[in-house]
Amino acid sequence: MMSYIDGFVLAVPAANKDQYIAHARQGADLFKKLGATRLVETWAEDVPHGKQTDFYRATKLEEGEVPLFSWVEYPDRATRKKAGEAMMSDPDVQAMSEMPFDASRMIYGGFEVLHDTGAQGKPGYVDGMISPVPAANKEAYRAAARAQAPLLIAQGALRVVDTWGDDVPAGETTDFQRAVATRDDETIGFSIIEWPSRQVRDAAWKILMEDPRIAPDPKIWDASRSITGGFAPVVDL
């Protein structure tokens, strides 16, 4: 089971999809060489527009672009830290091809895993969610996430992961904080639900939306500012 992840949100021109996938595969090999256990890149497929916040505004999406939700898994925080330092001088990083997207609008951060429920495998579909959570509510948020995970698994989810902002820097143009309009006392929750297919996911949510146990507790976090979406995996290494 993973214990630390780097989470990413970015915008890629739809016309550059194949180029981006090739770039991501190249990057995955580099991450694994430096100690990562997995890299997953997913492409927006069912991403709603929100009233206050959404993946489009989070990435300052431009015409013709598509939002991506991605993550890199590490065995622990120390391995992730060492990998980040090594990338600064790794010749393979310098040799990588030019990024096929605007890296200045990429959002990233490091997250502590609160719980990881289910089997690791190759999902056919992913739900991604980013939420603003009061820092004082960490244990209540963990407990709520753990209570909801079995409900998702019962409806066909393969794996449910909820994480807690640990090393989430502010950015010049975009960042996780602006993505969900955090307040001074809040941090970021980064959540992943892996499904075998979109069909299973869609059928599950029709049932889950009628279950009061899956509703977010407003005393724990403000779900109205969360951003959510369904994504198709394009790289999973």
Side-chain angles (χ1 to χ4, degrees):
M1 291 294 183
M2 65 177 180
S3 61
Y4 204 85
I5 73 169
D6 272 338
F8 299 87
V9 176
L10 56 150
V12 177
N16 291 356
K17 184 175 183 179
D18 291 343
Q19 186 182 355
Y20 182 80
I21 291 171
H23 179 87
R25 287 183 179 277
Q26 186 182 12
D29 291 339
L30 174 61
F31 278 112
K32 290 181 78 172
K33 183 185 79 169
L34 296 175
T37 56
R38 187 181 181 204
L39 177 145
V40 183
E41 303 269 2
T42 69
W43 192 266
E45 193 170 288
D46 180 25
V47 177
H49 291 271
K51 291 182 179 179
Q52 286 181 269
T53 55
D54 54 36
F55 277 100
Y56 306 102
R57 278 175 274 199
T59 56
K60 297 188 182 296
L61 200 82
E62 297 178 359
E63 187 174 355
E65 292 182 333
V66 176
L68 272 69
F69 177 88
S70 307
W71 70 94
V72 181
E73 308 184 6
Y74 291 96
D76 50 50
R77 190 182 195 273
T79 302
R80 180 261 192 174
K81 183 175 186 290
K82 187 176 179 181
E85 293 168 351
M87 282 182 195
M88 302 302 291
S89 58
D90 193 295
D92 289 340
V93 174
Q94 313 305 322
M96 284 186 70
S97 57
E98 185 178 346
M99 292 184 181
F101 64 97
D102 180 3
S104 72
R105 288 183 283 130
M106 181 174 70
I107 302 169
Y108 67 94
F111 296 85
E112 169 198 348
V113 174
L114 296 179
H115 80 93
D116 184 347
T117 303
Q120 294 198 33
K122 295 280 189 179
Y125 206 73
V126 170
D127 273 324
M129 181 172 73
I130 300 159
S131 302
V133 188
N137 290 355
K138 181 178 182 179
E139 293 309 317
Y141 183 74
R142 187 202 305 265
R146 281 181 170 166
Q148 290 182 348
L151 306 178
L152 293 156
I153 299 289
Q155 295 302 327
L158 300 173
R159 185 181 181 211
V160 183
V161 181
D162 286 283
T163 74
W164 188 258
D166 171 67
D167 179 20
V168 185
E172 290 186 11
T173 307
T174 56
D175 52 36
F176 278 113
Q177 290 83 355
R178 278 177 277 193
V180 293
T182 56
R183 295 166 183 153
D184 289 344
D185 65 338
E186 293 176 331
T187 190
I188 303 294
F190 185 94
S191 303
I192 303 158
I193 308 171
E194 299 184 2
W195 301 93
S197 66
R198 180 171 179 180
Q199 290 75 17
V200 171
R201 176 260 199 178
D202 289 351
W205 278 116
K206 286 181 181 178
I207 296 169
L208 289 163
M209 293 302 288
E210 301 299 320
D211 188 335
R213 295 174 296 173
I214 208 72
D217 185 342
K219 295 191 297 295
I220 300 175
W221 54 285
D222 179 10
S224 71
R225 287 179 283 131
S226 294
I227 62 176
T228 63
F231 298 81
V234 291
V235 175
D236 187 348
L237 299 172

